[in-house]
Amino acid sequence: MVEVNLVGLSIGAALTLTAVALHLSKGTGWTPTTDISQEVLERRAESVPETEFPEPMNRAIGAGGGGAVAAGAVAGEEEGAELEGGAEAAEESGPWDVSDDEAETFEIEYAKEGDTIEVAENETVLEAGEDAGWDLPYACRQGQCVSCAGQITSGGNAEDYVVHDDQQMLDDNELGDGYTLTCVAYPKADFTIETGEAP
């Protein structure tokens, strides 16, 4: 016969009832704190000394949020203006800067999709294919992976046919074999491409 320990059973039942009661009780009320007021933020900003350099990785400084600008340029100092001009000169322009009404078009044959379309020089090979309604492979859209890779089968180096905007994955041999990253490839000649082909 099973022996029942009444003391243990009583303690277990009491703990269970306590847990259920605590679970169902309303408890203490919680109210969220209010946001810090603009006045407090300004007071805190005044207590931080100004520096002669921009904060690292602050891409929100400057017009349009397009990259960091020297602190002098933000403050309007002469030497900052020199730095700002240098930063602008360092930015590379390319076909992506050409306006739509001035863009030249090229005949691109998408072999796997079985169609040839006109692609403007200021549109990537990937974007043009998507505009045509094709589900082309991609991941990062920044030239930092090979998910969107394709092979230009017209012969020669891929860079004879496209301009890459900062592709970081293909080496010279792969480019020589016609491989390209369609997400950052802007056409500069007619060609045939096999999409979904990685080196």
Side-chain angles (χ1 to χ4, degrees):
M1 182 162 199
V2 177
E3 215 174 286
V4 178
N5 185 345
L6 292 178
V7 173
L9 187 62
S10 302
I11 292 173
L15 288 174
T16 303
L17 289 174
T18 303
V20 169
L22 287 174
H23 178 71
L24 296 176
S25 69
K26 287 191 175 193
T28 59
W30 176 80
T31 55
T33 58
T34 58
D35 289 340
I36 298 175
S37 70
Q38 187 64 31
E39 181 182 316
V40 172
L41 290 175
E42 288 172 5
R43 235 180 317 150
R44 288 183 181 173
E46 289 172 4
S47 68
V48 176
E50 296 243 357
T51 60
E52 295 295 322
F53 55 90
E55 293 183 31
M57 303 303 290
N58 187 352
R59 298 181 60 85
I61 297 176
V69 177
V74 174
E77 298 172 5
E78 272 186 43
E79 68 183 54
E82 291 171 9
L83 291 174
E84 183 178 2
E88 288 175 8
E91 288 183 25
E92 189 177 328
S93 65
W96 44 89
D97 294 324
V98 176
S99 65
D100 289 341
D101 56 337
E102 295 176 354
E104 188 176 348
T105 59
F106 300 98
E107 297 285 323
I108 311 294
E109 179 186 357
Y110 290 75
K112 289 183 179 177
E113 290 71 25
D115 201 0
T116 300
I117 61 173
E118 285 189 354
V119 180
E121 69 177 313
N122 63 353
E123 182 176 29
T124 66
V125 174
L126 173 63
E127 289 169 342
E130 289 177 330
D131 289 346
W134 301 321
D135 186 22
L136 300 177
Y138 71 89
C140 73
R141 288 187 180 267
Q142 297 175 351
Q144 297 177 359
C145 71
V146 293
S147 299
C148 69
Q151 186 175 23
I152 297 174
T153 58
S154 299
N157 190 308
E159 293 188 327
D160 294 339
Y161 301 97
V162 296
V163 175
H164 287 107
D165 178 20
D166 194 30
Q167 76 84 16
Q168 299 176 17
M169 299 304 295
L170 301 176
D171 62 28
D172 290 339
N173 292 332
E174 293 164 339
L175 291 169
D177 290 338
Y179 288 101
T180 183
L181 301 181
T182 62
C183 71
V184 291
Y186 294 84
K188 63 179 184 179
D190 299 341
F191 60 88
T192 300
I193 187 167
E194 293 272 348
T195 56
E197 295 292 324

